[in-house]
Amino acid sequence: MSFFSWLANGLGTLIGVVANAVVTTVVDTVRSAYNAFVGSGGAVKDVAAQESRNKQDRLREVNDEIMFLRNRNMSQGGLADGERRRWNSLREERDELLGVLQQAKEVKAAEKILESEAVLEKVEVDLETTHVLQYNAFADTLGKQCRCCGRPMKLQWQRDLNVAGPNDFFWACTGWYVPKGQGRACTHKEPLQRSDYALMTDTSAPEFSVTADEFGIILEDPGTSAIITTRVNDLRSDLTSKNKGVELATCPVHGENMVLRKKSNPTGLLDSYFLVCPRWKPNNQGCPFMEKLKSGSQLAALLKAETGRGIL
Ligand SMILES: [Zn+2]
Ligand SMILES: [Zn+2]
């Protein structure tokens, strides 16, 4: 089941909330779907979180075994019948696990919305508020599926821009990251619908009290930039020591939480960090799913989600 008739994410944001909808009415809709889920015995809160961790552990084992068979297939030029059957059943199990984990993400997103009701507001994304959209692009979008292949789609934008305008955003199929023959499994892209610019989100973050341009200028300040670098470095050491990925961003293929990494010779703050699938390996040997953290908004969302405080 889905809690939302809108797109959502783990930051407690809904995308595509119609202009004349009232926040409390929207939240009430989420609340009744959530209560119905609880009433039907659905796992929520700590129980759901524990279940989710167990499924993630199993998912890692399944991915390990799939990787092992894949490598064996490549090195030996084929698999025995039994191995091939095993490979197929593992892939089915992975799809099932991904479905269950998706449901758990929806539960969590609904809880986030219910607990932050008091600070939720509607934001119509325009020239001055594109950083709000970019902030939300950090987290997995729930409910946006590719109409060609059914894979999840990701909110993207022209990465070479310092400050992206509303029309620089688009949806891209995550099948782009799945190799198929010499090409990619799906290259479908689509422009944002008008409704995609209507968000209902937690606007209490200080980053949203300035315009997208002002936010860009603040980040150019060397003092600010140094503080953010220290905080992201600290977060990275913390996650690395716990062998953990980031909570709200997962690889669409493997379903595992993305790992925060730092470039060895960055040219500045917005060239320093990226997220990779834990199955990533150098020289195209592993999963190619990677996301560069090239905007202050993404770094703010990362820090806010992981540490409770953004960058301003
Ligand atoms: Zn697709
Ligand atoms: Zn992956």
Side-chain angles (χ1 to χ4, degrees):
M1 72 163 279
S2 174
F3 290 107
F4 313 113
S5 32
W6 312 273
L7 305 179
N9 68 34
L11 291 160
T13 299
L14 293 175
I15 301 175
V17 177
V18 291
N20 56 4
V22 183
V23 170
T24 49
T25 315
V26 173
V27 175
D28 282 346
T29 315
V30 175
R31 187 177 291 110
S32 23
Y34 181 81
N35 289 341
F37 179 73
V38 174
S40 69
V44 295
K45 300 197 174 150
D46 292 347
V47 180
Q50 186 54 47
E51 260 184 36
S52 202
R53 277 193 292 276
N54 296 344
K55 297 287 179 195
Q56 274 171 337
D57 289 344
R58 177 61 194 149
L59 182 63
R60 270 191 290 276
E61 291 170 2
V62 168
N63 280 333
D64 279 341
E65 205 180 334
I66 290 177
M67 284 308 218
F68 170 79
L69 289 171
R70 193 186 88 130
N71 292 340
R72 193 175 167 85
N73 181 39
M74 290 208 290
S75 62
Q76 301 193 342
L79 291 175
D81 283 350
E83 289 172 325
R84 192 156 286 283
R85 276 195 299 276
R86 177 73 186 149
W87 194 359
N88 286 333
S89 87
L90 285 165
R91 287 162 71 126
E92 277 171 26
E93 185 180 355
R94 178 162 74 187
D95 286 344
E96 243 169 66
L97 287 166
L98 291 178
V100 176
L101 286 166
Q102 186 73 10
Q103 166 89 72
K105 284 187 205 173
E106 293 217 356
V107 169
K108 217 160 170 202
E111 285 167 354
K112 183 85 188 161
I113 287 164
L114 298 179
E115 81 200 24
S116 50
E117 177 173 10
V119 288
L120 293 178
E121 274 179 49
K122 286 199 296 177
V123 177
E124 190 69 40
V125 174
D126 58 15
L127 269 178
E128 298 204 325
T129 50
T130 46
H131 56 318
V132 181
L133 194 56
Q134 215 166 28
Y135 183 96
N136 279 289
F138 168 78
D140 296 343
T141 304
L142 308 173
K144 181 71 183 176
Q145 282 183 317
C146 176
R147 63 178 143 86
C148 301
C149 72
R151 288 185 179 85
M153 295 192 90
K154 197 166 164 44
L155 192 54
Q156 302 275 21
W157 65 93
Q158 306 263 10
R159 298 293 165 125
D160 46 351
L161 301 166
N162 279 339
V163 178
N167 296 322
D168 299 318
F169 287 83
F170 56 93
W171 293 106
C173 179
T174 51
W176 192 85
Y177 295 95
V178 181
K180 191 175 181 189
Q182 294 302 308
R184 304 178 182 281
C186 183
T187 56
H188 181 66
K189 285 181 190 173
E190 52 189 68
L192 268 64
Q193 303 286 311
R194 227 190 102 64
S195 61
D196 293 335
Y197 292 100
L199 309 185
M200 194 186 85
T201 190
D202 174 356
T203 52
S204 66
E207 288 84 356
F208 300 157
S209 63
V210 296
T211 67
D213 269 333
E214 286 164 349
F215 187 50
I217 293 165
I218 292 170
L219 288 172
E220 285 167 19
D221 174 69
T224 309
S225 171
I227 293 169
I228 301 168
T229 303
T230 309
R231 290 194 53 216
V232 182
N233 286 348
D234 287 349
L235 171 63
R236 188 169 159 259
S237 323
D238 186 41
L239 291 170
T240 309
S241 69
K242 292 178 187 152
N243 198 15
K244 267 182 73 182
V246 302
E247 174 84 30
L248 297 182
T250 55
C251 170
V253 182
H254 298 99
E256 295 181 33
N257 295 80
M258 300 283 277
V259 178
L260 177 61
R261 296 178 73 118
K262 187 174 187 180
K263 252 171 101 169
S264 41
N265 293 304
T267 57
L269 173 65
L270 299 184
D271 178 50
S272 297
Y273 303 99
F274 57 103
L275 300 174
V276 287
C277 172
R279 306 286 161 176
W280 178 86
K281 285 204 184 84
N283 307 318
N284 294 328
Q285 292 300 301
C287 176
F289 190 66
M290 181 217 272
E291 168 138 42
K292 294 178 182 167
L293 300 176
K294 286 189 74 175
S295 69
S297 306
Q298 289 166 292
L299 293 173
L302 168 72
L303 286 169
K304 173 85 176 170
E306 293 290 331
T307 72
R309 209 187 111 214
I311 64 179
L312 293 186

